[in-house]
Amino acid sequence: DSKRGRELWITDGTETGTKLFLDLLKGPESSYPSSLTLIGDKLFFVENYGGSLSLLDLTNSNKLKIGDGAGAVYGSNFAVGDQLVFKSADVRKGLEWYVSDGTITGTHLLADIRKGTIGAFDYLSNEKEISALAPGGKIFFAANDGIHGDELWSSDLTSTNTKLFADIAPGSAWSSPNYLKVAADKLFFVAYDKTDWQVYVMGLADAPPPASTYIPFKQGEWLQTFGAKNYIGSGYFNYLEGVATDSKSNVYLTGHFL
């Protein structure tokens, strides 16, 4: 508001129950809290757009800055079990994945995917489009290790098991996986096959699938495979908006063709 700037508010869905929760920066100046993620009674957030990660204990309103060692936070955060996964950048490692259990000592780099100062991620990318959470806490995401180009990776939130999952465009070429969605124990996403953007589907296996499975559904073929009718049009698929399943394990996809 005009007296306290942009601060942290709370609501129960009613006008009378909507009120200021905490004025992090006293006075009319704003603290600009963003990327709010609630895990139990812990509210993780970022102050000042690209600042470091902070934690608010909702049981006593105590605030703790836990991400000073991680550097500036970019994009939204998301919860995996009782841990927070977020992207952070510093001058030594660039933009990489970090994890936090809500303590200073438990906030650390997940894996240095791309050695050096560049980092594995594009600062402008939308992590909601290039990452997906699978059952059991495994995450899939697009990253560039400087060797394979921008390809599909997976992690169980341990450094050892953060690894390349599928090199769709072999070598240093980029397939740039995006619009990642998990449904029916499969991973759906759009990637570039050196000719067109296509929809791919892969199982959520612990080991990387063989290269022979990197076969996209061409034009109407994938629509027919998943039971779609009255397919009209041609071109290639470049946008995957949503994936859902019903009680009979049918899979429904929405997106856009060019």
Side-chain angles (χ1 to χ4, degrees):
D1 60 22
S2 59
K3 295 181 179 179
R4 286 159 294 199
R6 186 168 183 173
E7 296 294 344
L8 192 61
W9 286 62
I10 190 171
T11 183
D12 62 2
T14 66
E15 184 176 355
T16 56
T18 301
K19 56 188 177 182
L20 180 72
F21 183 72
L22 191 62
D23 191 1
L24 296 166
L25 185 60
K26 305 299 182 182
E29 300 298 324
S30 300
S31 66
Y32 295 107
S34 62
S35 301
L36 277 66
T37 305
L38 183 64
I39 303 178
D41 291 326
K42 300 175 182 178
L43 179 64
F44 294 85
F45 64 96
V46 177
E47 292 183 69
N48 297 319
Y49 292 133
S52 59
L53 184 68
S54 295
L55 170 70
L56 186 65
D57 186 337
L58 298 183
T59 63
N60 53 28
S61 297
N62 287 336
K63 190 190 78 167
L64 176 66
K65 186 166 287 189
I66 60 176
D68 283 344
V73 177
Y74 289 84
S76 300
N77 313 321
F78 62 94
V80 181
D82 59 357
Q83 296 189 88
L84 184 80
V85 181
F86 62 100
K87 288 176 183 172
S88 183
D90 65 24
V91 296
R92 299 166 300 164
K93 298 183 182 298
L95 189 61
E96 298 281 357
W97 281 124
Y98 282 74
V99 294
S100 177
D101 64 1
T103 66
I104 296 175
T105 56
T107 301
H108 58 85
L109 178 73
L110 172 58
D112 191 5
I113 294 174
R114 184 168 186 168
K115 308 301 181 184
T117 60
I118 297 178
F121 302 103
D122 184 343
Y123 286 82
L124 299 179
S125 63
N126 184 344
E127 71 286 340
K128 290 183 178 180
E129 295 178 357
I130 66 167
S131 59
L133 176 62
K138 189 174 184 178
I139 62 173
F140 293 88
F141 55 93
N144 186 348
D145 63 0
I147 300 173
H148 300 91
D150 195 30
E151 295 292 347
L152 186 64
W153 285 63
S154 66
S155 177
D156 65 357
L157 301 194
T158 66
S159 178
T160 302
N161 291 323
T162 299
K163 53 193 176 182
L164 182 69
F165 187 76
D167 190 8
I168 296 169
S172 60
W174 295 27
S175 70
S176 298
N178 57 82
Y179 300 109
L180 277 66
K181 313 287 183 183
V182 172
D185 294 322
K186 290 180 173 60
L187 176 68
F188 297 82
F189 59 95
V190 176
Y192 191 70
D193 66 357
K194 296 186 178 180
T195 303
D196 292 324
W197 292 96
Q198 302 287 355
V199 172
Y200 287 75
V201 58
M202 293 182 182
L204 305 178
D206 292 334
S212 60
T213 64
Y214 305 169
I215 302 174
F217 293 107
K218 297 290 185 179
Q219 296 187 13
E221 177 185 344
W222 67 272
L223 289 168
Q224 184 178 5
T225 301
F226 290 108
K229 298 180 179 179
N230 301 322
Y231 169 70
I232 300 175
S234 62
Y236 60 88
F237 196 99
N238 75 325
Y239 179 80
L240 183 60
E241 185 176 66
V243 179
T245 59
D246 60 19
S247 59
K248 297 181 180 179
S249 298
N250 293 314
V251 181
Y252 302 89
L253 299 90
T254 60
H256 183 252
F257 277 91
L258 288 180

PDB file of all heavy atoms in Angstrom, residues 38-69:
ATOM      1  N   LEU A  38       5.638 -22.366   0.023  1.00  0.00           N
ATOM      2  CA  LEU A  38       5.334 -22.802   1.377  1.00  0.00           C
ATOM      3  C   LEU A  38       5.633 -24.287   1.535  1.00  0.00           C
ATOM      4  O   LEU A  38       5.137 -25.115   0.763  1.00  0.00           O
ATOM      5  CB  LEU A  38       3.862 -22.536   1.696  1.00  0.00           C
ATOM      6  CG  LEU A  38       3.387 -22.880   3.109  1.00  0.00           C
ATOM      7  CD1 LEU A  38       4.100 -21.996   4.130  1.00  0.00           C
ATOM      8  CD2 LEU A  38       1.876 -22.712   3.210  1.00  0.00           C
ATOM      9  N   ILE A  39       6.439 -24.641   2.529  1.00  0.00           N
ATOM     10  CA  ILE A  39       6.732 -26.031   2.874  1.00  0.00           C
ATOM     11  C   ILE A  39       6.490 -26.185   4.365  1.00  0.00           C
ATOM     12  O   ILE A  39       7.299 -25.731   5.194  1.00  0.00           O
ATOM     13  CB  ILE A  39       8.181 -26.431   2.518  1.00  0.00           C
ATOM     14  CG1 ILE A  39       8.458 -26.198   1.028  1.00  0.00           C
ATOM     15  CG2 ILE A  39       8.438 -27.890   2.885  1.00  0.00           C
ATOM     16  CD1 ILE A  39       9.881 -26.535   0.609  1.00  0.00           C
ATOM     17  N   GLY A  40       5.375 -26.811   4.727  1.00  0.00           N
ATOM     18  CA  GLY A  40       5.015 -26.909   6.139  1.00  0.00           C
ATOM     19  C   GLY A  40       4.756 -25.529   6.711  1.00  0.00           C
ATOM     20  O   GLY A  40       3.965 -24.749   6.169  1.00  0.00           O
ATOM     21  N   ASP A  41       5.439 -25.196   7.796  1.00  0.00           N
ATOM     22  CA  ASP A  41       5.327 -23.874   8.413  1.00  0.00           C
ATOM     23  C   ASP A  41       6.441 -22.942   7.961  1.00  0.00           C
ATOM     24  O   ASP A  41       6.656 -21.884   8.563  1.00  0.00           O
ATOM     25  CB  ASP A  41       5.366 -23.998   9.944  1.00  0.00           C
ATOM     26  CG  ASP A  41       4.122 -24.664  10.499  1.00  0.00           C
ATOM     27  OD1 ASP A  41       3.040 -24.450   9.920  1.00  0.00           O
ATOM     28  OD2 ASP A  41       4.234 -25.392  11.499  1.00  0.00           O
ATOM     29  N   LYS A  42       7.142 -23.318   6.905  1.00  0.00           N
ATOM     30  CA  LYS A  42       8.255 -22.504   6.415  1.00  0.00           C
ATOM     31  C   LYS A  42       7.866 -21.844   5.098  1.00  0.00           C
ATOM     32  O   LYS A  42       7.465 -22.513   4.152  1.00  0.00           O
ATOM     33  CB  LYS A  42       9.501 -23.367   6.211  1.00  0.00           C
ATOM     34  CG  LYS A  42      10.004 -24.056   7.472  1.00  0.00           C
ATOM     35  CD  LYS A  42      11.160 -24.988   7.146  1.00  0.00           C
ATOM     36  CE  LYS A  42      11.653 -25.717   8.390  1.00  0.00           C
ATOM     37  NZ  LYS A  42      12.750 -26.668   8.067  1.00  0.00           N
ATOM     38  N   LEU A  43       7.983 -20.529   5.049  1.00  0.00           N
ATOM     39  CA  LEU A  43       7.704 -19.784   3.827  1.00  0.00           C
ATOM     40  C   LEU A  43       9.037 -19.299   3.243  1.00  0.00           C
ATOM     41  O   LEU A  43       9.710 -18.449   3.828  1.00  0.00           O
ATOM     42  CB  LEU A  43       6.792 -18.592   4.117  1.00  0.00           C
ATOM     43  CG  LEU A  43       6.453 -17.716   2.901  1.00  0.00           C
ATOM     44  CD1 LEU A  43       5.649 -18.513   1.875  1.00  0.00           C
ATOM     45  CD2 LEU A  43       5.687 -16.467   3.334  1.00  0.00           C
ATOM     46  N   PHE A  44       9.408 -19.871   2.113  1.00  0.00           N
ATOM     47  CA  PHE A  44      10.608 -19.438   1.410  1.00  0.00           C
ATOM     48  C   PHE A  44      10.234 -18.309   0.455  1.00  0.00           C
ATOM     49  O   PHE A  44       9.194 -18.350  -0.190  1.00  0.00           O
ATOM     50  CB  PHE A  44      11.212 -20.592   0.600  1.00  0.00           C
ATOM     51  CG  PHE A  44      11.745 -21.724   1.429  1.00  0.00           C
ATOM     52  CD1 PHE A  44      10.906 -22.746   1.862  1.00  0.00           C
ATOM     53  CD2 PHE A  44      13.095 -21.790   1.762  1.00  0.00           C
ATOM     54  CE1 PHE A  44      11.394 -23.802   2.607  1.00  0.00           C
ATOM     55  CE2 PHE A  44      13.591 -22.852   2.502  1.00  0.00           C
ATOM     56  CZ  PHE A  44      12.740 -23.852   2.929  1.00  0.00           C
ATOM     57  N   PHE A  45      11.097 -17.323   0.330  1.00  0.00           N
ATOM     58  CA  PHE A  45      10.836 -16.236  -0.603  1.00  0.00           C
ATOM     59  C   PHE A  45      12.135 -15.512  -0.933  1.00  0.00           C
ATOM     60  O   PHE A  45      13.182 -15.721  -0.302  1.00  0.00           O
ATOM     61  CB  PHE A  45       9.805 -15.260  -0.028  1.00  0.00           C
ATOM     62  CG  PHE A  45      10.262 -14.537   1.208  1.00  0.00           C
ATOM     63  CD1 PHE A  45      10.813 -13.259   1.125  1.00  0.00           C
ATOM     64  CD2 PHE A  45      10.154 -15.123   2.459  1.00  0.00           C
ATOM     65  CE1 PHE A  45      11.243 -12.593   2.261  1.00  0.00           C
ATOM     66  CE2 PHE A  45      10.576 -14.474   3.604  1.00  0.00           C
ATOM     67  CZ  PHE A  45      11.125 -13.198   3.508  1.00  0.00           C
ATOM     68  N   VAL A  46      12.056 -14.668  -1.949  1.00  0.00           N
ATOM     69  CA  VAL A  46      13.193 -13.871  -2.381  1.00  0.00           C
ATOM     70  C   VAL A  46      12.834 -12.402  -2.204  1.00  0.00           C
ATOM     71  O   VAL A  46      11.731 -11.971  -2.551  1.00  0.00           O
ATOM     72  CB  VAL A  46      13.540 -14.158  -3.858  1.00  0.00           C
ATOM     73  CG1 VAL A  46      14.686 -13.268  -4.327  1.00  0.00           C
ATOM     74  CG2 VAL A  46      13.890 -15.621  -4.043  1.00  0.00           C
ATOM     75  N   GLU A  47      13.753 -11.630  -1.657  1.00  0.00           N
ATOM     76  CA  GLU A  47      13.547 -10.195  -1.503  1.00  0.00           C
ATOM     77  C   GLU A  47      14.224  -9.431  -2.626  1.00  0.00           C
ATOM     78  O   GLU A  47      15.264  -9.833  -3.139  1.00  0.00           O
ATOM     79  CB  GLU A  47      14.110  -9.714  -0.167  1.00  0.00           C
ATOM     80  CG  GLU A  47      13.365 -10.226   1.055  1.00  0.00           C
ATOM     81  CD  GLU A  47      13.922  -9.650   2.344  1.00  0.00           C
ATOM     82  OE1 GLU A  47      13.758  -8.427   2.565  1.00  0.00           O
ATOM     83  OE2 GLU A  47      14.532 -10.412   3.109  1.00  0.00           O
ATOM     84  N   ASN A  48      13.609  -8.315  -3.003  1.00  0.00           N
ATOM     85  CA  ASN A  48      14.223  -7.356  -3.935  1.00  0.00           C
ATOM     86  C   ASN A  48      14.544  -7.931  -5.302  1.00  0.00           C
ATOM     87  O   ASN A  48      15.566  -7.570  -5.894  1.00  0.00           O
ATOM     88  CB  ASN A  48      15.486  -6.760  -3.311  1.00  0.00           C
ATOM     89  CG  ASN A  48      15.182  -5.978  -2.052  1.00  0.00           C
ATOM     90  OD1 ASN A  48      14.200  -5.249  -1.995  1.00  0.00           O
ATOM     91  ND2 ASN A  48      16.011  -6.164  -1.039  1.00  0.00           N
ATOM     92  N   TYR A  49      13.670  -8.807  -5.843  1.00  0.00           N
ATOM     93  CA  TYR A  49      13.809  -9.259  -7.229  1.00  0.00           C
ATOM     94  C   TYR A  49      15.235  -9.691  -7.565  1.00  0.00           C
ATOM     95  O   TYR A  49      16.052  -8.913  -8.032  1.00  0.00           O
ATOM     96  CB  TYR A  49      13.393  -8.171  -8.217  1.00  0.00           C
ATOM     97  CG  TYR A  49      11.927  -7.843  -8.215  1.00  0.00           C
ATOM     98  CD1 TYR A  49      11.503  -6.529  -8.180  1.00  0.00           C
ATOM     99  CD2 TYR A  49      10.966  -8.841  -8.254  1.00  0.00           C
ATOM    100  CE1 TYR A  49      10.152  -6.205  -8.194  1.00  0.00           C
ATOM    101  CE2 TYR A  49       9.622  -8.540  -8.267  1.00  0.00           C
ATOM    102  CZ  TYR A  49       9.212  -7.226  -8.231  1.00  0.00           C
ATOM    103  OH  TYR A  49       7.877  -6.916  -8.243  1.00  0.00           O
ATOM    104  N   GLY A  50      15.547 -10.926  -7.367  1.00  0.00           N
ATOM    105  CA  GLY A  50      16.889 -11.403  -7.666  1.00  0.00           C
ATOM    106  C   GLY A  50      17.839 -11.282  -6.498  1.00  0.00           C
ATOM    107  O   GLY A  50      19.055 -11.373  -6.668  1.00  0.00           O
ATOM    108  N   GLY A  51      17.275 -11.081  -5.309  1.00  0.00           N
ATOM    109  CA  GLY A  51      18.105 -11.062  -4.119  1.00  0.00           C
ATOM    110  C   GLY A  51      18.374 -12.479  -3.655  1.00  0.00           C
ATOM    111  O   GLY A  51      18.139 -13.451  -4.372  1.00  0.00           O
ATOM    112  N   SER A  52      18.858 -12.617  -2.433  1.00  0.00           N
ATOM    113  CA  SER A  52      19.142 -13.946  -1.916  1.00  0.00           C
ATOM    114  C   SER A  52      17.896 -14.564  -1.290  1.00  0.00           C
ATOM    115  O   SER A  52      16.890 -13.893  -1.060  1.00  0.00           O
ATOM    116  CB  SER A  52      20.275 -13.891  -0.882  1.00  0.00           C
ATOM    117  OG  SER A  52      19.916 -13.046   0.189  1.00  0.00           O
ATOM    118  N   LEU A  53      17.969 -15.861  -1.016  1.00  0.00           N
ATOM    119  CA  LEU A  53      16.833 -16.612  -0.494  1.00  0.00           C
ATOM    120  C   LEU A  53      16.655 -16.361   1.004  1.00  0.00           C
ATOM    121  O   LEU A  53      17.615 -16.359   1.768  1.00  0.00           O
ATOM    122  CB  LEU A  53      17.054 -18.101  -0.739  1.00  0.00           C
ATOM    123  CG  LEU A  53      15.922 -19.037  -0.353  1.00  0.00           C
ATOM    124  CD1 LEU A  53      14.715 -18.831  -1.256  1.00  0.00           C
ATOM    125  CD2 LEU A  53      16.397 -20.489  -0.432  1.00  0.00           C
ATOM    126  N   SER A  54      15.404 -16.158   1.407  1.00  0.00           N
ATOM    127  CA  SER A  54      15.078 -15.973   2.823  1.00  0.00           C
ATOM    128  C   SER A  54      14.002 -16.969   3.243  1.00  0.00           C
ATOM    129  O   SER A  54      13.279 -17.525   2.411  1.00  0.00           O
ATOM    130  CB  SER A  54      14.589 -14.547   3.093  1.00  0.00           C
ATOM    131  OG  SER A  54      15.603 -13.602   2.868  1.00  0.00           O
ATOM    132  N   LEU A  55      13.898 -17.175   4.549  1.00  0.00           N
ATOM    133  CA  LEU A  55      12.925 -18.103   5.118  1.00  0.00           C
ATOM    134  C   LEU A  55      12.179 -17.410   6.238  1.00  0.00           C
ATOM    135  O   LEU A  55      12.778 -16.735   7.087  1.00  0.00           O
ATOM    136  CB  LEU A  55      13.638 -19.343   5.665  1.00  0.00           C
ATOM    137  CG  LEU A  55      12.785 -20.308   6.497  1.00  0.00           C
ATOM    138  CD1 LEU A  55      11.790 -21.021   5.607  1.00  0.00           C
ATOM    139  CD2 LEU A  55      13.651 -21.318   7.232  1.00  0.00           C
ATOM    140  N   LEU A  56      10.862 -17.575   6.236  1.00  0.00           N
ATOM    141  CA  LEU A  56      10.037 -17.019   7.295  1.00  0.00           C
ATOM    142  C   LEU A  56       9.367 -18.163   8.036  1.00  0.00           C
ATOM    143  O   LEU A  56       8.669 -18.979   7.432  1.00  0.00           O
ATOM    144  CB  LEU A  56       8.982 -16.081   6.710  1.00  0.00           C
ATOM    145  CG  LEU A  56       8.120 -15.304   7.703  1.00  0.00           C
ATOM    146  CD1 LEU A  56       8.980 -14.325   8.497  1.00  0.00           C
ATOM    147  CD2 LEU A  56       7.014 -14.546   6.975  1.00  0.00           C
ATOM    148  N   ASP A  57       9.618 -18.253   9.345  1.00  0.00           N
ATOM    149  CA  ASP A  57       8.975 -19.262  10.188  1.00  0.00           C
ATOM    150  C   ASP A  57       7.589 -18.741  10.560  1.00  0.00           C
ATOM    151  O   ASP A  57       7.466 -17.759  11.301  1.00  0.00           O
ATOM    152  CB  ASP A  57       9.812 -19.502  11.442  1.00  0.00           C
ATOM    153  CG  ASP A  57       9.285 -20.648  12.293  1.00  0.00           C
ATOM    154  OD1 ASP A  57       8.081 -20.977  12.186  1.00  0.00           O
ATOM    155  OD2 ASP A  57      10.066 -21.221  13.072  1.00  0.00           O
ATOM    156  N   LEU A  58       6.537 -19.374  10.053  1.00  0.00           N
ATOM    157  CA  LEU A  58       5.185 -18.871  10.253  1.00  0.00           C
ATOM    158  C   LEU A  58       4.663 -19.100  11.665  1.00  0.00           C
ATOM    159  O   LEU A  58       3.618 -18.560  12.036  1.00  0.00           O
ATOM    160  CB  LEU A  58       4.238 -19.522   9.236  1.00  0.00           C
ATOM    161  CG  LEU A  58       4.557 -19.233   7.760  1.00  0.00           C
ATOM    162  CD1 LEU A  58       3.510 -19.874   6.861  1.00  0.00           C
ATOM    163  CD2 LEU A  58       4.651 -17.742   7.492  1.00  0.00           C
ATOM    164  N   THR A  59       5.373 -19.887  12.454  1.00  0.00           N
ATOM    165  CA  THR A  59       4.935 -20.115  13.828  1.00  0.00           C
ATOM    166  C   THR A  59       5.312 -18.953  14.745  1.00  0.00           C
ATOM    167  O   THR A  59       4.683 -18.745  15.779  1.00  0.00           O
ATOM    168  CB  THR A  59       5.541 -21.413  14.390  1.00  0.00           C
ATOM    169  OG1 THR A  59       6.975 -21.292  14.429  1.00  0.00           O
ATOM    170  CG2 THR A  59       5.155 -22.602  13.526  1.00  0.00           C
ATOM    171  N   ASN A  60       6.342 -18.190  14.363  1.00  0.00           N
ATOM    172  CA  ASN A  60       6.773 -17.082  15.214  1.00  0.00           C
ATOM    173  C   ASN A  60       7.166 -15.822  14.431  1.00  0.00           C
ATOM    174  O   ASN A  60       7.613 -14.838  15.024  1.00  0.00           O
ATOM    175  CB  ASN A  60       7.952 -17.498  16.089  1.00  0.00           C
ATOM    176  CG  ASN A  60       9.100 -18.088  15.279  1.00  0.00           C
ATOM    177  OD1 ASN A  60       9.275 -17.757  14.103  1.00  0.00           O
ATOM    178  ND2 ASN A  60       9.883 -18.952  15.910  1.00  0.00           N
ATOM    179  N   SER A  61       7.020 -15.864  13.106  1.00  0.00           N
ATOM    180  CA  SER A  61       7.335 -14.737  12.219  1.00  0.00           C
ATOM    181  C   SER A  61       8.812 -14.360  12.216  1.00  0.00           C
ATOM    182  O   SER A  61       9.178 -13.249  11.811  1.00  0.00           O
ATOM    183  CB  SER A  61       6.495 -13.494  12.579  1.00  0.00           C
ATOM    184  OG  SER A  61       5.120 -13.754  12.387  1.00  0.00           O
ATOM    185  N   ASN A  62       9.674 -15.271  12.647  1.00  0.00           N
ATOM    186  CA  ASN A  62      11.112 -15.005  12.593  1.00  0.00           C
ATOM    187  C   ASN A  62      11.619 -15.195  11.163  1.00  0.00           C
ATOM    188  O   ASN A  62      11.276 -16.175  10.499  1.00  0.00           O
ATOM    189  CB  ASN A  62      11.872 -15.936  13.534  1.00  0.00           C
ATOM    190  CG  ASN A  62      11.674 -15.569  14.991  1.00  0.00           C
ATOM    191  OD1 ASN A  62      11.359 -14.425  15.313  1.00  0.00           O
ATOM    192  ND2 ASN A  62      11.863 -16.537  15.880  1.00  0.00           N
ATOM    193  N   LYS A  63      12.453 -14.264  10.709  1.00  0.00           N
ATOM    194  CA  LYS A  63      13.003 -14.346   9.358  1.00  0.00           C
ATOM    195  C   LYS A  63      14.480 -14.709   9.415  1.00  0.00           C
ATOM    196  O   LYS A  63      15.231 -14.233  10.265  1.00  0.00           O
ATOM    197  CB  LYS A  63      12.841 -13.015   8.627  1.00  0.00           C
ATOM    198  CG  LYS A  63      13.168 -13.099   7.141  1.00  0.00           C
ATOM    199  CD  LYS A  63      13.228 -11.731   6.493  1.00  0.00           C
ATOM    200  CE  LYS A  63      14.534 -11.033   6.814  1.00  0.00           C
ATOM    201  NZ  LYS A  63      14.797  -9.846   5.985  1.00  0.00           N
ATOM    202  N   LEU A  64      14.885 -15.577   8.501  1.00  0.00           N
ATOM    203  CA  LEU A  64      16.279 -16.008   8.428  1.00  0.00           C
ATOM    204  C   LEU A  64      16.728 -15.940   6.974  1.00  0.00           C
ATOM    205  O   LEU A  64      16.073 -16.484   6.089  1.00  0.00           O
ATOM    206  CB  LEU A  64      16.421 -17.450   8.939  1.00  0.00           C
ATOM    207  CG  LEU A  64      17.814 -18.089   8.835  1.00  0.00           C
ATOM    208  CD1 LEU A  64      18.795 -17.364   9.743  1.00  0.00           C
ATOM    209  CD2 LEU A  64      17.735 -19.567   9.199  1.00  0.00           C
ATOM    210  N   LYS A  65      17.824 -15.258   6.729  1.00  0.00           N
ATOM    211  CA  LYS A  65      18.388 -15.211   5.380  1.00  0.00           C
ATOM    212  C   LYS A  65      19.293 -16.420   5.238  1.00  0.00           C
ATOM    213  O   LYS A  65      20.331 -16.525   5.892  1.00  0.00           O
ATOM    214  CB  LYS A  65      19.158 -13.911   5.157  1.00  0.00           C
ATOM    215  CG  LYS A  65      19.643 -13.731   3.727  1.00  0.00           C
ATOM    216  CD  LYS A  65      20.097 -12.302   3.460  1.00  0.00           C
ATOM    217  CE  LYS A  65      18.921 -11.354   3.368  1.00  0.00           C
ATOM    218  NZ  LYS A  65      19.323 -10.001   2.896  1.00  0.00           N
ATOM    219  N   ILE A  66      18.888 -17.370   4.375  1.00  0.00           N
ATOM    220  CA  ILE A  66      19.591 -18.653   4.305  1.00  0.00           C
ATOM    221  C   ILE A  66      20.397 -18.824   3.030  1.00  0.00           C
ATOM    222  O   ILE A  66      21.147 -19.789   2.895  1.00  0.00           O
ATOM    223  CB  ILE A  66      18.599 -19.828   4.424  1.00  0.00           C
ATOM    224  CG1 ILE A  66      17.574 -19.778   3.288  1.00  0.00           C
ATOM    225  CG2 ILE A  66      17.942 -19.840   5.776  1.00  0.00           C
ATOM    226  CD1 ILE A  66      16.619 -20.942   3.283  1.00  0.00           C
ATOM    227  N   GLY A  67      20.237 -17.892   2.078  1.00  0.00           N
ATOM    228  CA  GLY A  67      20.851 -18.122   0.777  1.00  0.00           C
ATOM    229  C   GLY A  67      22.013 -17.225   0.432  1.00  0.00           C
ATOM    230  O   GLY A  67      22.354 -17.072  -0.741  1.00  0.00           O
ATOM    231  N   ASP A  68      22.656 -16.604   1.432  1.00  0.00           N
ATOM    232  CA  ASP A  68      23.760 -15.700   1.131  1.00  0.00           C
ATOM    233  C   ASP A  68      24.886 -16.394   0.379  1.00  0.00           C
ATOM    234  O   ASP A  68      25.516 -15.823  -0.500  1.00  0.00           O
ATOM    235  CB  ASP A  68      24.304 -15.080   2.418  1.00  0.00           C
ATOM    236  CG  ASP A  68      23.397 -13.968   2.930  1.00  0.00           C
ATOM    237  OD1 ASP A  68      22.552 -13.499   2.144  1.00  0.00           O
ATOM    238  OD2 ASP A  68      23.536 -13.579   4.095  1.00  0.00           O
ATOM    239  N   GLY A  69      25.153 -17.645   0.716  1.00  0.00           N
ATOM    240  CA  GLY A  69      26.233 -18.372   0.049  1.00  0.00           C
ATOM    241  C   GLY A  69      25.877 -18.817  -1.346  1.00  0.00           C
ATOM    242  O   GLY A  69      26.754 -19.176  -2.138  1.00  0.00           O
TER     243      GLY A  69
END
